[in-house]
Structure formats: structure tokens, C-alpha cells
Amino acid sequence: MTQDDIKTPDTQPDLGRRKFLNTAALVGLSGAGLSVGLSACKSKDEAAPAEAAPGTPAEAVGTSKHEVAPGQLDEYYSFSSGGHSGEVRIYGIPSGRELKRIPVFNTDCLVGWGITNESKAILGTKPNGTPKYTTGDTHHVHQTYTDGTYDGKYMFVNDKLHGRLARIRMDTMECDKILEIPNIQGFHGTFTDKRDPVDAGINHTTRVFCGSEFSVPLINDGRDLEDGSKYKNLFSCVDSETMEMRWQVLIDGNCDLVASSYDGKLAATNQYNTEMGIHYEDMMASEMDACLFFHVARIEEAVKAGKVSYLGNSKVPVVDGTRAASKDPKTALTCYVPIPKNPHGVNITPDGKYYACSGKLSPTATVIEHASVLKWFDGELANPRDAVVGEPEIGLGPLHTGFDNKGNAYTTLFLDSQIVKWNVEAAIKSYKGDKAAKPVVDRLDVHYQPGHGFTSMGETKESDGRYFISDNKFSKDRFLPVGPLHAETAQLIDISGDKMKLVADHSVYSEPHDSIIVRRDIIKTRQVYNLDEFPNAVMDPKDSGVFRNGKKVTVKLISQAPAFSMREFKVKKGDEITLILTNHDKVEDLTHGFGIPKYDIQFIVNPQETKSVTFVADKPGVYWCYCTNFCHALHLEMRTRMIVEA
Ligand code: RUQ
Ligand code: CUA
Ligand code: CA
């Protein structure tokens, strides 16, 4: 593919420096010189900004309407993935204040994630054992729904690297379960079901849909290594309550991002590699790829009826959703809707009627009608492509789309470094041949190369049309330079008016992928734990002490500012110590830490929380275990001595 293969829409802006950026990125994408293109894109071609960065509209400077005054709280939470950091971040919107980082697939010595026995159990590491993985790559966060909007119960995030799905409790904002999905690689898109039609008694989401991007030999144990035609992909469904696998669908082509319908009937994934190519040029070979729809009820009926197979040792039922098995619409489990060239991103409108699937290598977004896809499954629509009701040209490199509450879509244009606002109904009219209908209503430059974009409450039926955030892939000159690794930019855009207005640049640590913006009243968090929740809690200071069972030693300890319940404790070299620490402080925010020098242990205990660690006391000597979390005027004095006798 050359640059000429990408059609340029007529509304293309032509600004010198931006054009350079576009060209560079295009060269990169064309494959003619990926590294050349991207390095040109990153090169400093202008001096550091003095006041406002180049390209900043004058009205964006010092906009006070969107500032949050000291002591005031934000209106929204933004829950964001942390990419290759393996964590999830929480920001306040519109301020952009970073409120929390939730460790998930990483190790975190603040909370002791990956260090305490409790977190190791969630990560699947045996106490005293080596973790199976210490890395992760979080991309997509979505929460549970009741009646088409968030219910504040759980949040889910994927690990693209090792194919895991993690659940986060929203009351404590901590990860409580992790599942590894069998027989897949490149678990990318995920989405919770917005309505479960069949699960009586449970009033919220129970399905989490998961798409795998990289095809691998179905049983990946050394067979079929070279024969790409034997590589396959699976679309998976996880039960949100048990965090166990429900089913998998064997498909042709790959999965990428995932969407779910508001009526619980369909799940969707965009496919950029219908070619099943192994190399990128193969993946760009055909002009059309697809958006693949899954008929949830039929899949679950097939599972119930035992029309399933099992892969290797996996106990997960697999149904057949390949093209060959989907020939008869009336029995098909899947529907492949053709979409122009390597689409990325599929999102559903808040009224539940349409999906927008972006072309990426085509300057179009495709509008697919939900009801028409259902009609195809009923045998009432001849061709899956007939479900397409709009295909506006919106700009170069369209990726993710968010929606407001007025029928408008906002799509990130990676190559144009813009957000394009387009009207869904106008797109449908223009597709029908109405020359007067102009789908594109506004464009806004962002800085630079946006990937993800999402609106406030935009993935719910309560989409409110207030904010759009553009998570950009390059920040270049927007922030003080901090060495070769730049800060990333999350740009806040006011979408409440006719024209989009850039109101803030928020710097973020590499590398946020998708996020959601959730109204603050939906989130109800707890401020303290309850001692009774922890079976191993040390309930009374009198219960603390050193308890020996041969070489196994349990040390029970309480923290209460400014002291630990034992001033010292003695163990012997070679003992296997399990140290249990319960925080008896009840005051909100009164967290203590526990660090053991030379033993590589550090963690915190929040008010009324219990955590434990297990280690072998292999180094004789005196070790000052100290409180690592500033808690009291005598925080520095808050210590206990671990004495390891030779
Ligand atoms: S996905 S740029 Cu990053 Cu996981 Cu679309
Ligand atoms: Cu307890 Cu610092
Ligand atoms: Ca393709």
C-alpha cells in the first residue's frame, strides 16, 4: 500500500507542520519505513514552547470553567488502563488529578501487590513461590451494568500480554480475581454485557466478552508451527461472578476490540486480519475486512445442547462460529459484516441502534444497524453487508469512537491528529443518497496522533455529552521534556456546544489505552475495612505473639498508631515465617506500612485490614521492621525488631 491508496476526504485541513506529521505517520503506516516514519514524527522540529504549545487555540489558555478549585471534588471519575505498566489508574475529571493506581498484573511495593500472600493468591502465585508472570499489559476497562448503565459493582480489565482478565471491586477499588483464558494469545478487546436476558435472579452483568487478536495453533504445544492456515482465533465469554470461563467461539479471522449491545442479544468485534496474514503486508492485502457479530442466545443454546468441542486439556466448551458454519443465517452463531480495510474500534450508540466501526486504513467509519444484524440472523436480510446503513468519509486513520446524547459521534483520527465530530443520522441519510446531508460537523486538532477517545458516560444509555478525552499516542512538545520517554497526553475536550473546545492537556504516565468516564454519584466506596472480613485477622493485642510449629513460625502482629503490638520478636535462622499484620486503627485514611530490610518485604495495611507475608528467615541478625506509611507524629518511631538467631 502506498500513501495514494488512502483516500483523502475533501474537508482535509492543510497546515504546514501538521501535514508533516501526517505524512510522517503515513509513511510509517505504509510499511515503507515504519521506523523512519515514527522517528520523523517524534523529532523536535521546533523550539520548546514558551507559553502555549503551538497549535493551541487561544481560547484554550486559562479556561477557568473547567478548573476544579482547591477543596472541590471532580464531577467524574475516569478509569483508565495503564498499558504496559500492567495497572489501572483513576483520575478525576475535569481536573485530571491522579487519584489512585490500582496494581493488577504488576508488582507494587506500596500496597504490597505481588508481595503479600493475599495478593499472591489472586495472582495465582503460591506462598513463597515464584509468580507465573510478573508482567502485564492492560488495555480496556469496563464496568458492570444494570439496565444499560453502570451499577458500580465491578470493573474488568484485560491483560493483552498473557491473556488474563482481572476483576476489580468498585467498593475498595482493588483487584480481587484474575482468570487466564485458555488457548488464546493477544487478548485485546473486552466488554461487559449491558443486559443479561437469561440470567434471572442476578440483576447485573454476568458476561464479560473477550476477543483474542493473535491467531495461534489451536493447541499450541509445538504442533502446526509453520502452517499459518492452521492458526485460529477464539472469542471468549467469562462469568463475572465466578470469574470462570463460560464458552468460546471458534472464528475465522481475528478479534480486536469488542462491543456489546444494550439488549443483551449481540456482541461484536472488529476484524482487521480477515486475511489471516502472518505478516503486516498480508494483513493489509484485502480491501474489505469485517465486523463480526455473535448471537449470544444461540451460542448458549448450542453449549447447552452439547454441540461443542474441547481443545486439548481445556474444559471450556467451544462452539463453531467459522464462516463455513455460519452459511445458514437461521442457525448461524456468527455474522460477518464486511467493513473497509483493517478496521479498529467498534462502539455502540447510547440508544443501542447502531455500531460505529472505523476503517483505520480507510478514511471511513461504517455504521451498522443493530436491528438489521438481527434480521440477518432471522433470515430476513440477504447479505450481511446490507446491515450497513452509513459509511461517511471522516478523515485519515479513524480509530475509536465516543458518542454524546445528541446523536453525534466523535472519532479519533490517528493520521490527521484530529477528533472528528460527525452526525450519525446525517451519515445514514447521505448513504441513502441525500446530497444535502453533511455527516461531518466539526474537527478539532489534538496533539498528537490520538488513539483512544471516549465521552463522559458515553458507553451507557446515560451518555451526557459533556466531555470527550483524547488519549494521544505522542505528546512531542506539549510538556516539559523529561528525557527520551515523553509524558503521554490525555486532552480534555468540552463537547457540550456545537464546536468542540480543547480545555486541558493532562499529562499521564505511559501508556493509557482505553478509559471510561463515570459520574461520581455511581461510585460508592468504603473508607475502612471490617476486621471480621479477614479470617486470619489478629483480633486482640493479647493474641499477638510468636507461635511455633516445628520450623513453621507464625508471627501475629497488630498496628495501632504509633506502635506495633510487639516491640520485638525472635525467630531462628531457617524458620519459615508467616507474619500476619492487622491494622486496628479505625480512622479513615490511617494506613500503616510494614517493611523488612534485606528480606524484600513491603506492604501496607489500611484501617481494619489484615495482610500476611511468608518468607524464610535465612539471614541471622537484627532487622528493624518499620512503618513505611506516614501515619502519626511518631511515625518514624513506629518500629519493631525482628531478631533472627543464628
Ligand atoms: S486499542 S488505539 Cu489501544 Cu487496546 Cu485502540
Ligand atoms: Cu504507622 Cu507510620
Ligand atoms: Ca486486513
Side-chain angles (χ1 to χ4, degrees):
M1 194 187 75
T2 70
Q3 196 182 324
D4 294 333
D5 291 340
I6 297 184
K7 286 180 270 172
T8 306
D10 45 13
T11 45
Q12 218 26 60
D14 185 20
L15 307 170
R17 177 163 167 275
R18 302 184 59 78
K19 197 169 174 203
F20 164 74
L21 273 165
N22 298 349
T23 311
L26 269 174
V27 170
L29 256 194
S30 77
L34 194 60
S35 58
V36 177
L38 292 185
S39 60
C41 172
K42 285 198 282 187
S43 79
K44 271 257 185 236
D45 58 328
E46 284 177 23
E51 285 172 337
T56 308
E59 71 271 21
V61 182
T63 313
S64 61
K65 197 175 123 203
H66 306 279
E67 281 166 12
V68 180
Q72 297 297 304
L73 302 181
D74 280 290
E75 290 173 80
Y76 299 92
Y77 289 91
S78 166
F79 298 95
S80 175
S81 60
H84 39 335
S85 71
E87 63 191 11
V88 167
R89 286 91 177 255
I90 310 175
Y91 304 99
I93 299 297
S95 74
R97 295 168 180 166
E98 186 181 85
L99 305 176
K100 187 174 184 175
R101 294 180 172 200
I102 306 172
V104 182
F105 301 112
N106 53 337
T107 302
D108 184 314
C109 57
L110 190 159
V111 301
W113 192 254
I115 299 164
T116 62
N117 293 333
E118 292 73 19
S119 61
K120 282 179 175 174
I122 294 166
L123 285 158
T125 314
K126 295 205 177 63
N128 238 342
T130 356
K132 191 169 180 193
Y133 310 110
T134 56
T135 52
D137 184 19
T138 56
H139 278 234
H140 298 274
V141 288
H142 289 293
Q143 296 187 2
T144 43
Y145 286 75
T146 296
D147 294 335
T149 195
Y150 300 125
D151 58 19
K153 185 157 190 202
Y154 292 125
M155 175 157 70
F156 299 89
V157 65
N158 72 312
D159 168 21
K160 179 168 173 176
L161 191 55
H162 305 301
R164 292 176 293 176
L165 180 76
R167 184 173 80 182
I168 291 164
R169 288 171 54 153
M170 292 310 293
D171 61 344
T172 57
M173 296 194 176
E174 291 169 349
C175 173
D176 76 337
K177 291 244 187 211
I178 291 177
L179 167 75
E180 186 170 345
I181 299 173
N183 296 312
I184 55 122
Q185 264 178 45
F187 163 30
H188 192 190
T190 189
F191 220 109
T192 37
D193 199 340
K194 295 195 188 73
R195 178 152 167 261
D196 280 305
V198 285
D199 298 285
I202 299 174
N203 62 357
H204 65 88
T205 302
T206 60
R207 296 187 191 86
V208 188
F209 302 111
C210 308
S212 69
E213 189 179 334
F214 309 149
S215 38
V216 280
L218 259 184
I219 299 173
N220 195 16
D221 60 357
R223 66 188 84 175
D224 303 327
L225 295 178
E226 303 292 343
D227 185 357
S229 72
K230 294 247 170 72
Y231 293 11
K232 295 286 174 206
N233 257 300
L234 296 165
F235 183 79
S236 304
C237 179
V238 175
D239 186 294
S240 74
E241 282 299 312
T242 61
M243 284 296 281
E244 285 169 4
M245 293 293 302
R246 278 202 181 174
W247 41 259
Q248 293 181 303
V249 186
L250 180 68
I251 61 163
D252 284 319
N254 72 331
C255 305
D256 187 20
L257 299 180
V258 172
S260 66
S261 67
Y262 279 88
D263 58 8
K265 290 183 177 163
L266 299 177
T269 185
N270 64 288
Q271 301 195 292
Y272 65 79
N273 189 14
T274 50
E275 301 90 340
M276 293 305 278
I278 301 291
H279 308 292
Y280 70 85
E281 61 271 26
D282 308 327
M283 301 178 198
M284 306 196 302
S286 42
E287 284 310 307
M288 296 300 268
D289 284 291
C291 186
L292 173 55
F293 289 88
F294 298 87
H295 194 299
V296 177
R298 280 191 198 166
I299 290 169
E300 299 195 346
E301 279 156 25
V303 171
K304 235 184 188 170
K307 292 179 193 152
V308 300
S309 58
Y310 296 91
L311 297 173
N313 301 327
S314 168
K315 304 230 166 15
V316 183
V318 178
V319 295
D320 192 351
T322 56
R323 283 175 188 268
S326 312
K327 287 224 168 83
D328 177 4
K330 291 199 165 171
T331 55
L333 308 181
T334 52
C335 171
Y336 293 76
V337 177
I339 304 285
K341 209 144 184 146
N342 288 41
H344 182 64
V346 54
N347 298 82
I348 189 166
T349 54
D351 60 9
K353 287 189 185 161
Y354 306 106
Y355 302 85
C357 188
S358 298
K360 191 167 77 188
L361 299 189
S362 156
T364 50
T366 302
V367 182
I368 307 158
E369 190 179 39
H370 178 69
S372 295
V373 179
L374 291 175
K375 265 191 201 155
W376 182 85
F377 278 113
D378 288 341
E380 292 164 19
L381 198 73
N383 192 321
R385 177 70 193 175
D386 296 341
V388 171
V389 294
E391 202 152 75
E393 289 207 355
I394 55 172
L396 297 187
L399 299 177
H400 294 251
T401 298
F403 300 96
D404 65 15
N405 52 353
K406 299 182 204 91
N408 298 307
Y410 301 79
T411 303
T412 54
L413 299 175
F414 182 80
L415 300 179
D416 279 342
S417 281
Q418 284 186 332
I419 307 305
V420 57
K421 173 181 177 180
W422 53 282
N423 184 273
V424 178
E425 286 304 330
I428 294 169
K429 279 189 191 148
S430 126
Y431 193 71
K432 281 195 187 126
D434 181 346
K435 291 246 158 56
K438 293 269 176 281
V440 171
V441 287
D442 192 23
R443 292 179 184 280
L444 181 78
D445 290 344
V446 291
H447 314 86
Y448 304 93
Q449 260 80 35
H452 305 87
F454 38 93
T455 53
S456 43
M457 295 297 288
E459 295 284 6
T460 74
K461 66 176 189 191
E462 295 188 298
S463 180
D464 61 13
R466 296 272 315 279
Y467 292 112
F468 179 92
I469 290 178
S470 175
D471 271 349
N472 303 332
K473 296 301 181 198
F474 297 93
S475 68
K476 208 172 138 67
D477 52 9
R478 297 296 281 191
F479 300 112
L480 287 175
V482 287
L485 176 66
H486 290 227
E488 305 285 351
T489 340
Q491 290 188 297
L492 184 71
I493 296 163
D494 179 348
I495 55 166
S496 59
D498 288 342
K499 289 245 156 227
M500 293 178 279
K501 203 167 155 193
L502 176 62
V503 292
D505 276 13
H506 296 148
S507 65
V508 282
Y509 187 57
S510 289
E511 186 197 349
H513 281 259
D514 217 8
S515 312
I516 52 174
I517 307 174
V518 180
R519 258 190 0 251
R520 73 179 184 197
D521 61 279
I522 291 169
I523 305 299
K524 306 251 185 300
T525 63
R526 298 169 56 183
Q527 300 307 312
V528 291
Y529 288 90
N530 185 334
L531 287 188
D532 302 332
E533 287 171 75
F534 303 93
N536 57 347
V538 188
M539 299 300 280
D540 192 282
K542 291 199 296 283
D543 299 336
S544 55
V546 177
F547 304 88
R548 178 173 291 279
N549 179 3
K551 284 222 146 276
K552 293 204 179 221
V553 173
T554 306
V555 177
K556 294 185 180 179
L557 207 55
I558 281 168
S559 61
Q560 195 154 25
F564 293 107
S565 57
M566 290 190 287
R567 288 160 187 264
E568 73 243 347
F569 57 93
K570 278 191 188 144
V571 294
K572 292 194 172 65
K573 184 182 174 209
D575 285 345
E576 186 197 272
I577 318 280
T578 294
L579 185 142
I580 305 169
L581 176 60
T582 299
N583 184 2
H584 275 226
D585 276 307
K586 287 197 181 92
V587 182
E588 187 178 325
D589 206 9
L590 217 171
T591 294
H592 297 287
F594 199 82
I596 312 180
K598 317 300 180 191
Y599 276 91
D600 204 20
I601 280 171
Q602 201 190 160
F603 61 97
I604 53 165
V605 272
N606 292 300
Q608 304 279 292
E609 188 181 31
T610 297
K611 282 186 189 152
S612 65
V613 287
T614 298
F615 58 96
V616 175
D618 53 3
K619 295 173 278 283
V622 171
Y623 300 90
W624 282 104
C625 308
Y626 67 99
C627 177
T628 53
N629 195 82
F630 211 107
C631 56
H632 189 276
L634 291 172
H635 157 75
L636 292 173
E637 289 82 351
M638 187 168 175
R639 315 178 198 167
T640 178
R641 267 185 312 157
M642 177 169 82
I643 297 167
V644 182
E645 297 171 333

